[in-house]
Amino acid sequence: MFRTALRNVLAHKARLLMTVLAVMLGVAFVSGTLVFTDTFGNAYKNKSAKSFDHVSVAVQSDGGSGDEEKHKPRLTDSFVKKAGTLPGADSAIGSVAGFTALADKDGKLVGGEWGTTGANYYPGKGGKDPRYDLVDGTAPKSAGELALDSRTAGRTGYKVGDTVRYSTDGPVRTAKVSGIFDTDEGSVVAGGSLVVFDNQTAFKALNKNQYDEIDVKAAAGTSEASLESAIEKIAPKDASTTTGGELKSQQDSMIEEQTSSMSQVLLIFAGIALFVGIFIIANTFTMLVAQRTKELALMRAVGASRRQVTRSVLIEAFIVGMIAAVTGFALGIGVAVGLESMMNSAGASLPDGPLVIAPTTIVVALIIGVVVTMLAAWLPGRRAAKIAPVAAMNSVHATPTMRGLVVRNTIGSVIVALGAVMLFMKDNYVKSGGAGVMLVGVIVLTPLLSRPFIAASAPLLKPFGVTGKLSRLNSVRNPRRTASTAAALMIGLTLITAMTVVATSMSSAINKMAAGSMKADFSVSMANFQPLTPEVREKLDKIPDAEATSPLRQAYGEADGSFTTISGVDPKTFGSLVGMDFTGGSMDGLKAGGVLIDEDLAKDRGLKAGGTLPLKFEDDDKTVKVKVAGVYEGNEMLNGVFAPTSVVDPHLTKVVDKQVLVKMKGGASDKAEDAIVKALGENPAITVQDKDAISNAVAGAINMMLNMLYGLLAMAVLIAVLGVINTLAMSVFERKHEIGMLRAIGLDRAKVKQMVRLEAVIISLFGAVLGIGLGLFMGWVAGGTIANSVSTYAMEVPVGRIVIFLGIAALVGVLAAVWPARSAAKLNPLMAIKSE
């Protein structure tokens, strides 16, 4: 049986090619993902490990317990000196770090909104800081100097002696580059930037009153554990100690967790691609078995058992799967290299490192390729073994029984009903499961759905005459095969359509929210939403065309026992800068010291306008009672408690603004925005956004994510195209006799090509319409969940993109039919008629 299976594989090389390609692409995606994440994680670990070379024990402060104790400095220079002179300690350094925006030579922010960091240069033995290896110039020694990491210097073109502009909390400052250093700091390796100040300047610029961390290095012969025990004896009560080994393990675990999340997302899409490939494999083996019905019957007649027949088909699948797995794994290495290049070109700046090919990756690739192929081939093999030898010898192609379709349709209907019930459950996990169940149910029902759809296409095919009619009849001849081929394309388009609907609707919801909630022309904030100094608002108020401004200062506390955000605003101008829909009260009471609360809080606590709200800030155990001036409908942009700044300011450690709202006399314009930017000194750390910019920022992030998902799902669509090619090619082979007869009675080559092309387009459009319809439904169900938390959310159907999807599906059909159509047209009529 093994020799027979091997002979059959060699005899049907061309027919099995598409199956090999389908499995190969799925395996390549899986193995490429595993190789990429292993390589990335290993390189990041190696880079990060070096940053702990100078750390044997790290000391961090957890904060005090009382009001006065909470902000009392503990990790000071005196503690650094004390720790560094302990028996067994070689040296100790204190470190501080915080957001520091650096402008490039064009005035743009360097390192991204979250990747620009400022830190201190702490001179240790020999006046050097072991964290930073100076390669040019000297360490910063005054407020007018700073040092840059070599990667940032290379990207920006800054050299020693150049003047740079930077900002940490609002105002723009300038300094000269005193030196350039190398560092293995993880954020720098990942594409960020690092600015280093002298110790005193760092404390002032980064608004620190103590060190964030003190790193102590053990002397030769002293273990980390013994040094930690000695430090614990002198450390403040609220301080925590961690050994360098523990820090490295924690960071390794964090990196593994991050790469694991990335790997899981990529593997989900790889799984989708493999799932689509199953339909192609099953289709291929079904047709191969059907074409060899007499051969298999003869084997049964000479003594082969049903199990042996099934086993021969599975052996063929094993050989095909192994070939696909090996080639897929080799291709996967290329996929991993391509993913790294793609992310680096997008600005990710991944760390360098050798390609990591773990033994488990090889095993997983081989197992997946072989198991998926054999599972998909098992049912066709089992079905072939059930055919009685005498019945099989009387017909080359056994006609599928209607009984099987009835059973299939019944099972599919039950699965769809179950999925529909799950979709309308409250639990989101149950809903997600319901979406998957319904998709499976529709796949099972595709043979039933294919007939009415293809029948409905008759008017569209009428202009093509006899070829149109023949293509329609061929499409419904074997509903199982048509369904399996269409289902492969349907899966990809279902996911793409559902995500497009949700993304489009979400973008529109954000636009509505921004338009309704914001009367101000501009919002001014730090690039990474760090606090702004009140000096920023003072500068904005001095702009001649500034009509009104208000800060938003954020504090936290409890409103009648419920945790909430308490935002401090200017009661005189706030009403002209935001749009609130009041269900009770108004904005006027804010000026008298009252507060505004959202409707959810009011309902939970049974409060109304004019009532009293017990309010307690997190820095104070005392509860104050304030009057509720108004109750408004909250959303993602406006929620919680709004109070006058006079109420909030006493509870802030330092008075800072989260953002500042600005209304200009002439409204939002490029001129008005330019006036604000210039008034703030063209600060790279500050972002000035109008309503459109706020909406576009959210929409841009959504579209970026959507485009990434499109790219990942393209693999599934590509495999679906291979499925259409494979089905048509083998269908043409089956219909040699029929095509020969058609040619003999006058159907020319061009018409034969047209017939095959139209059949491909019908099958592709059937899968596309089914996928788009199912995607719209799932998008509607998902939108119902989102609407519960986003009040402005309403489902929007992206008609333009759906038309594009349908166009792509039709193009898929045309392209997929090129090779099968040419093969059909090249058939010699006389030879084809003689074939069985």
Side-chain angles (χ1 to χ4, degrees):
M1 296 305 293
F2 180 79
R3 287 197 300 270
T4 303
L6 184 60
R7 179 182 60 80
N8 285 326
V9 170
L10 295 174
H12 301 116
K13 293 189 292 290
R15 297 183 218 172
L16 289 168
L17 176 62
M18 294 303 169
T19 299
V20 171
L21 287 174
V23 180
M24 181 187 74
L25 289 173
V27 172
F29 205 161
V30 172
S31 56
T33 296
L34 294 175
V35 171
F36 170 72
T37 50
D38 287 345
T39 300
F40 171 70
N42 182 67
Y44 221 154
K45 282 180 188 177
N46 291 339
K47 289 290 185 182
S48 301
K50 294 180 182 179
S51 63
F52 295 112
D53 287 347
H54 65 283
V55 184
S56 299
V57 178
V59 185
Q60 296 174 319
S61 176
D62 295 332
S65 55
D67 292 344
E68 293 180 5
E69 291 292 315
K70 190 172 183 179
H71 306 297
K72 185 178 179 180
R74 283 171 166 74
L75 303 185
T76 59
D77 283 313
S78 61
F79 182 78
V80 176
K81 186 177 180 180
K82 195 174 181 181
T85 55
L86 280 172
D90 179 69
S91 62
I93 59 174
S95 64
V96 292
F99 174 73
T100 301
L102 177 72
D104 62 16
K105 291 184 177 181
D106 296 324
K108 304 296 182 182
L109 181 64
V110 177
E113 296 175 354
W114 304 96
T116 305
T117 308
N120 65 319
Y121 190 93
Y122 192 97
K125 291 182 177 179
K128 294 181 179 180
D129 190 324
R131 298 170 297 174
Y132 313 118
D133 182 19
L134 285 165
V135 294
D136 191 14
T138 60
K141 294 183 177 64
S142 67
E145 295 180 341
L146 56 78
L148 296 177
D149 72 88
S150 55
R151 291 172 183 255
T152 299
R155 289 201 308 268
T156 59
Y158 284 133
K159 298 178 181 179
V160 173
D162 288 348
T163 299
V164 298
R165 298 167 65 249
Y166 72 93
S167 176
T168 57
D169 59 357
V172 179
R173 300 180 177 90
T174 58
K176 282 191 176 182
V177 178
S178 66
I180 294 171
F181 59 88
D182 282 338
T183 180
D184 288 321
E185 192 74 32
S187 61
V188 176
V189 172
S193 300
L194 182 60
V195 174
V196 171
F197 306 100
D198 72 278
N199 205 47
Q200 186 177 351
T201 302
F203 266 79
K204 186 176 179 181
L206 302 175
N207 190 30
K208 304 286 183 177
N209 64 353
Q210 66 174 346
Y211 291 106
D212 298 331
E213 180 176 304
I214 293 174
D215 298 328
V216 186
K217 185 177 181 181
T222 303
S223 68
E224 290 184 345
S226 60
L227 181 59
E228 183 180 25
S229 297
I231 292 173
E232 284 176 344
K233 293 176 182 178
I234 65 167
K237 292 180 181 179
D238 62 311
S240 61
T241 59
T242 313
T243 65
E246 290 171 343
L247 286 174
K248 184 180 182 301
S249 297
Q250 289 172 7
Q251 186 152 309
D252 287 351
S253 298
M254 181 184 68
I255 293 168
E256 284 178 8
E257 187 177 337
Q258 291 173 344
T259 53
S260 175
S261 300
M262 184 193 305
S263 177
Q264 287 171 9
V265 171
L266 292 172
L267 286 174
I268 286 171
F269 288 95
I272 293 169
L274 284 169
F275 184 60
V276 170
I278 287 173
F279 293 95
I280 299 172
I281 301 163
N283 248 3
T284 303
F285 278 93
T286 298
M287 287 184 279
L288 283 174
V289 167
Q291 290 164 13
R292 285 162 37 209
T293 305
K294 277 191 175 182
E295 177 189 324
L296 294 173
L298 185 60
M299 289 171 61
R300 290 288 311 280
V302 297
S305 66
R306 286 185 177 185
R307 286 187 178 181
Q308 285 179 310
V309 171
T310 303
R311 199 180 302 146
S312 74
V313 175
L314 290 178
I315 291 171
E316 289 180 49
F318 174 83
I319 295 169
V320 170
M322 184 59 72
I323 293 169
V326 172
T327 53
F329 175 73
L331 182 61
I333 296 173
V335 169
V337 174
L339 278 171
E340 185 176 7
S341 299
M342 183 178 70
M343 293 187 73
N344 279 327
S345 63
S349 297
L350 300 180
D352 297 326
L355 203 65
V356 177
I357 303 174
T360 52
T361 302
I362 301 172
V363 173
V364 167
L366 294 177
I367 290 175
I368 286 175
V370 172
V371 170
V372 167
T373 310
M374 291 182 70
L375 282 175
W378 175 76
L379 191 59
R382 186 169 176 270
R383 193 182 296 136
K386 282 185 174 182
I387 302 173
V390 175
M393 286 183 182
N394 291 330
S395 175
V396 178
H397 306 301
T399 305
T401 62
M402 289 303 295
R403 180 175 173 274
L405 280 176
V406 171
V407 173
R408 177 171 177 163
N409 293 339
T410 303
I411 294 171
S413 300
V414 172
I415 295 173
V416 168
L418 175 63
V421 171
M422 292 173 68
L423 281 172
F424 290 96
M425 294 291 184
K426 290 184 179 180
D427 190 278
N428 289 332
Y429 290 106
V430 176
K431 282 186 176 183
S432 300
V437 170
M438 177 166 273
L439 182 59
V440 171
V442 173
I443 291 170
V444 175
L445 282 175
T446 42
L448 176 67
L449 299 171
S450 64
R451 289 185 179 278
F453 175 85
I454 293 171
S457 67
L460 298 174
L461 296 171
K462 197 171 183 179
F464 297 99
V466 68
T467 55
K469 185 176 181 179
L470 287 171
S471 64
R472 179 171 58 83
L473 293 174
N474 288 333
S475 298
V476 293
R477 177 181 296 183
N478 191 326
R480 288 187 179 91
R481 185 182 303 170
T482 299
S484 296
T485 307
L489 188 60
M490 180 196 77
I491 294 167
L493 283 176
T494 296
L495 297 172
I496 288 173
T497 303
M499 290 186 296
T500 302
V501 167
V502 172
T504 303
S505 303
M506 194 66 194
S507 294
S508 179
I510 297 297
N511 288 337
K512 291 176 186 175
M513 195 183 298
S517 302
M518 189 171 165
K519 290 182 182 177
D521 298 313
F522 297 98
S523 169
V524 178
S525 61
M526 289 289 280
N528 67 341
F529 302 105
Q530 289 289 312
L532 289 164
T533 62
E535 180 185 340
V536 171
R537 189 204 178 185
E538 293 171 7
K539 290 184 176 181
L540 293 171
D541 281 333
K542 293 177 182 178
I543 299 174
D545 289 334
E547 186 176 305
T549 67
S550 174
L552 263 71
R553 294 172 186 165
Q554 202 164 73
Y556 299 97
E558 293 180 3
D560 196 16
S562 177
F563 181 81
T564 187
T565 302
I566 307 167
S567 300
V569 297
D570 187 334
K572 296 178 182 177
T573 59
F574 188 61
S576 64
L577 297 168
V578 297
M580 285 183 167
D581 293 326
F582 285 94
T583 58
S586 66
M587 190 74 69
D588 296 336
L590 198 63
K591 298 176 184 177
V595 298
L596 308 176
I597 63 173
D598 62 58
E599 198 172 24
D600 289 340
L601 178 60
K603 286 181 179 178
D604 288 344
R605 299 301 171 190
L607 295 169
K608 295 182 179 179
T612 302
L613 174 69
L615 198 63
K616 183 170 72 173
F617 290 85
E618 67 174 354
D619 73 321
D620 193 347
D621 290 333
K622 294 180 181 178
T623 299
V624 295
K625 294 186 177 181
V626 293
K627 185 177 180 181
V628 178
V631 178
Y632 66 93
E633 293 181 6
N635 56 41
E636 280 63 36
M637 295 187 72
L638 295 173
N639 56 67
V641 177
F642 287 91
T645 51
S646 58
V647 174
V648 174
D649 287 357
H651 301 280
L652 299 176
T653 306
K654 183 179 180 181
V655 177
V656 290
D657 301 330
K658 181 183 177 184
Q659 62 178 306
V660 180
L661 300 177
V662 186
K663 190 174 184 65
M664 304 293 281
K665 291 179 181 177
S669 65
D670 292 339
K671 183 180 179 182
E673 183 176 351
D674 189 53
I676 292 174
V677 170
K678 287 183 177 178
L680 298 176
E682 298 181 343
N683 194 327
I686 292 179
T687 300
V688 181
Q689 295 176 301
D690 59 13
K691 283 183 278 191
D692 289 339
I694 293 171
S695 299
N696 290 338
V698 177
I702 292 173
N703 287 332
M704 182 184 296
M705 180 186 70
L706 196 61
N707 289 334
M708 287 177 63
L709 296 177
Y710 283 168
L712 293 171
L713 285 170
M715 183 73 76
V717 175
L718 177 59
I719 293 174
V721 173
L722 296 177
V724 178
I725 297 172
N726 209 24
T727 299
L728 289 173
M730 301 191 78
S731 181
V732 166
F733 179 83
E734 283 183 354
R735 303 198 316 253
K736 273 185 180 180
H737 184 82
E738 177 187 318
I739 293 170
M741 290 293 293
L742 290 171
R743 289 291 312 281
I745 62 175
L747 196 69
D748 61 24
R749 288 185 174 183
K751 292 293 185 182
V752 171
K753 284 183 179 181
Q754 188 180 70
M755 178 183 70
V756 177
R757 278 198 297 266
L758 288 174
E759 186 179 345
V761 171
I762 291 170
I763 294 172
S764 297
L765 286 178
F766 169 52
V769 170
L770 206 57
I772 289 170
L774 196 57
L776 288 172
F777 176 74
M778 291 188 172
W780 172 69
V781 173
T785 303
I786 296 171
N788 293 332
S789 56
V790 181
S791 59
T792 54
Y793 185 93
M795 179 177 169
E796 289 194 7
V797 179
V799 178
R801 292 197 186 189
I802 287 175
V803 170
I804 292 173
F805 295 159
L806 286 171
I808 290 172
L811 182 62
V812 163
V814 172
L815 294 176
V818 171
W819 176 43
R822 287 186 64 189
S823 298
K826 284 182 177 181
L827 288 175
N828 184 303
L830 294 177
M831 295 298 293
I833 291 171
K834 287 168 60 180
S835 67
E836 290 187 342

